[in-house]
Amino acid sequence: MRHQRSTEVSTVKKPVNSDQQGKIAGLAVVVMAAGLGKRMRSKQAKVLHPVAGQAMVLYSVGLGLRVAGDCVAVVVGHQADLVRQVIDRATSRKTGGSPVAIVEQREQLGTGHAVLQSRPVFAVGKRGAPSRYLILNGDTPLLQEKTVRELLRVHEAECATVTLLTAVLADASGYGRVVRAHSGERGVSRIVEDRDANAEEQAIREINVGTYVVDGEFLFSALEQLDPSNAQGEYYLTDIIHLAQHSGQRVAAVVLDNPDEGLGVNTRLQLAQAEQVVRQQIRDRWLDAGVTMIDPSSVWIDATVTIGKDTILYPNVTLEGVTVIGEDCVLHSSTRLTDCIVGNGVEILDHCLFAASHIEDDAHLGPFVHLRPGVVVRKKAKVGNFVEMKKTDLGEGSKANHLSYLGDAKIGKGVNIGAGTVTCNYDGVQKFQTVIGDGVFLGSDTQLIAPVTVGAGAIIAAGTTVTEDVPADALAIARAPQVNRAGWAARRRALQTSATRETLNVKREPKPSGRMKKRLPVSKGRQVKKGSRG
Ligand code: UD1
Ligand code: MG
């Protein structure tokens, strides 16, 4: 990163005063998030669009909290309630309440006007007022904390009034251009917005990233002087740079080494670009933390996911939401987990879909398992081929390995769920619970009509429909008794064979008249009554 300023260059690397958690004393953060984002062509406010599963605005808010602790204000406007909810949900503490102050910009009159709305949050002009403000756009999700800390360091080292972050792009269109003095140290003299720029200014490739550090005493007095006579009729925050420079204040700038970091998301294309970059960063972070990925580029991990060491992710694994994966797990191909907690040593075979479920240590699942919200798979339990579960607790060491539906069920330890077991939990109006005690053996093709309880150690014979509670250690069997008719099948085959022969013989003869046709024998085996199929 290079830094430049309008006056002399300081060479002293003075660290910014921060506490043990890296929170910088006297710093306040303002995040601008009130705009609609017209260029997104969306019904949803731009800052709510997710990047790696997390609303865009939360990247700036998270960064603000990391550098400034509790002193963070977010300016909301479009879909204010929704944006507020998303921020509250993501930042609320266990003790209650969010450390983020939300202020509303009722009319979106520009970025300068947006920041001005945050004044009531801070004790401006009083003792304890922030000595400097870090101002962030809500649409720059790629910005890194170390860059912001460098910006703050340069601001302090140079005793600047305004320090801004810039990037040099091959295609600068759409961004505010950084206009520098023609001579001397070529310090920043102003920012000109794309729509206000003349041809010469449009040719400038250095852009304003939308990240600024501004002196506490200067900020709000400068904002009050903004004038909206520009192409958009807006109060541009960027005009404070010219105001500072014009009144002889120091303006410093830090140029990004990696211009990608300065990407401002205004369009769907930029959203897709941001997504790719963030996904790559997340994968790199987990690879670095000891997670194996067989084909990293095909693995999708949301920003909010945590993965333990020595876990192996096969191709096309997707981990979404607040998912936590333990150590030594193996997740095979094409599996998607959303908001799940997975213990250590869990193996998940191919093609599984899990949502809001909890899987304990050493459990084994898949292939083709669907866990809907509210499932707990206890230690060493096994769930296999084509099993669907919902709001069900499968006890330690229990097995449901084939073709079953288990919904609203509490299943004990060491239970065998036979192939094709169905908990009939819904009567068309209400849902009911099935309780299965420890050590129960359910034979194949069993239906349990809930509410029903099967006592510990009971055996349910294959093909049974359980309609009443089964006492512990009992055998429940409910199916029509079997009848064996000696020789019946052979006689049927013989009959069928002779009928077929007759039919074939007749077919070789000349075509019968209409009257004869009626009398021809028909094979009984081929008769199908109209409407008799299930
Ligand atoms: C802004 C900068 C531009 C810079 C670019 C970097 C200004 C005037 N321009 O342009 O120099 O190159 O970011 O990405 O600042 N917002 C509000 N209230 C408003 C208007 C906007 O809160 O009245 C918020 C938006 O929600 C967004 C941020 O401010 O998070 C930036 O607004 P946007 O419209 O994206 O500005 P750009 O045109 O990208
Ligand atoms: Mg923008």
Side-chain angles (χ1 to χ4, degrees), residues 63-74:
L63 209 162
L65 289 169
R66 292 199 294 279
V67 294
D70 286 3
C71 215
V72 176
V74 182

Side-chain angles (χ1 to χ4, degrees), residues 32-35 39 46-47 105 108-111 114 137-139 175-176 191 193 208-209 236 238 264 266:
M32 296 173 283
R39 289 161 280 180
K46 175 172 71 178
V47 295
Q105 182 192 24
Q108 283 69 57
L109 301 178
T111 48
N137 275 356
D139 64 354
Y175 288 97
I191 306 289
E193 290 306 305
N208 165 36
V209 167
Y236 290 161
T238 43
N266 295 318

Side-chain angles (χ1 to χ4, degrees), residues 19 38 148 166 179 220 223 259 263 270 274 292 296 343 385 409 437 442-443 447 475 491 506 520:
D19 68 10
K38 277 189 217 116
V148 165
T166 77
V179 180
F220 290 103
L223 291 176
L263 179 78
Q270 287 165 330
T292 292
N385 314 271
L442 296 186
Q447 298 92 49
L475 164 73
R491 284 197 297 281
V506 169
L520 283 174

Side-chain angles (χ1 to χ4, degrees), residues 196 313 325:
D196 299 289
L313 306 178
I325 310 279

Side-chain angles (χ1 to χ4, degrees), residues 422-433:
V422 175
T423 54
C424 309
N425 57 333
Y426 184 49
D427 65 0
V429 183
Q430 276 178 284
K431 300 271 170 76
F432 300 95
Q433 220 199 11

Side-chain angles (χ1 to χ4, degrees), residues 95-272:
T95 47
S98 162
V100 176
I102 305 283
V103 284
E104 200 164 336
Q105 182 192 24
R106 288 185 195 283
E107 258 187 295
Q108 283 69 57
L109 301 178
T111 48
H113 180 258
V115 177
L116 193 57
Q117 308 313 300
S118 71
R119 183 162 52 184
V121 171
F122 309 108
V124 178
K126 299 194 185 120
R127 266 183 66 191
S131 55
R132 52 228 188 283
Y133 292 85
L134 167 68
I135 303 172
L136 304 172
N137 275 356
D139 64 354
T140 48
L142 304 184
L143 191 63
Q144 298 293 299
E145 184 178 332
K146 65 176 188 326
T147 303
V148 165
R149 288 193 188 275
E150 174 64 2
L151 196 71
L152 286 154
R153 190 196 65 74
V154 169
H155 183 79
E156 207 152 286
E158 297 202 1
C159 303
T161 297
V162 183
T163 305
L164 72 150
L165 189 62
T166 77
V168 179
L169 305 183
D171 175 11
S173 56
Y175 288 97
R177 310 297 205 285
V178 178
V179 180
R180 288 184 177 268
H182 287 294
S183 56
E185 287 171 3
R186 305 218 53 234
V188 176
S189 45
R190 66 194 168 91
I191 306 289
V192 58
E193 290 306 305
D194 190 57
R195 284 167 64 179
D196 299 289
N198 60 32
E200 192 190 335
E201 289 160 344
Q202 282 197 338
I204 297 172
R205 289 171 47 223
E206 185 178 9
I207 62 109
N208 165 36
V209 167
T211 305
Y212 324 79
V213 181
V214 186
D215 213 64
E217 290 190 0
F218 173 77
L219 177 64
F220 290 103
S221 64
L223 291 176
E224 278 177 344
Q225 294 170 49
L226 295 180
D227 175 0
S229 22
N230 50 54
Q232 299 181 77
E234 288 186 354
Y235 295 91
Y236 290 161
L237 173 62
T238 43
D239 284 348
I240 66 167
I241 284 136
H242 178 62
L243 283 173
Q245 206 269 345
H246 196 65
S247 58
Q249 316 270 346
R250 291 182 177 184
V251 175
V254 171
V255 187
L256 279 172
D257 287 335
N258 172 11
D260 282 356
E261 212 186 307
L263 179 78
V265 175
N266 295 318
T267 63
R268 302 274 184 162
L269 180 64
Q270 287 165 330
L271 179 69

Side-chain angles (χ1 to χ4, degrees), residues 334-348:
S334 305
T335 278
R336 176 149 73 98
L337 274 64
T338 308
D339 299 327
C340 288
I341 296 175
V342 177
N344 298 325
V346 170
E347 183 167 26
I348 302 172

Side-chain angles (χ1 to χ4, degrees), residues 349-402:
L349 299 185
D350 311 54
H351 299 284
C352 290
L353 178 63
F354 301 167
S357 291
H358 186 167
I359 296 153
E360 292 187 353
D361 296 352
D362 302 313
H364 186 283
L365 298 102
F368 301 101
V369 169
H370 186 187
L371 302 185
R372 289 163 51 206
V375 170
V376 183
V377 177
R378 302 276 171 194
K379 283 182 190 162
K380 296 188 178 174
K382 287 188 172 178
V383 185
N385 314 271
F386 304 99
V387 172
E388 176 188 354
M389 293 169 76
K390 186 220 69 165
K391 269 197 194 162
T392 285
D393 188 326
L394 183 68
E396 191 173 331
S398 291
K399 291 184 275 181
N401 272 335
H402 323 273

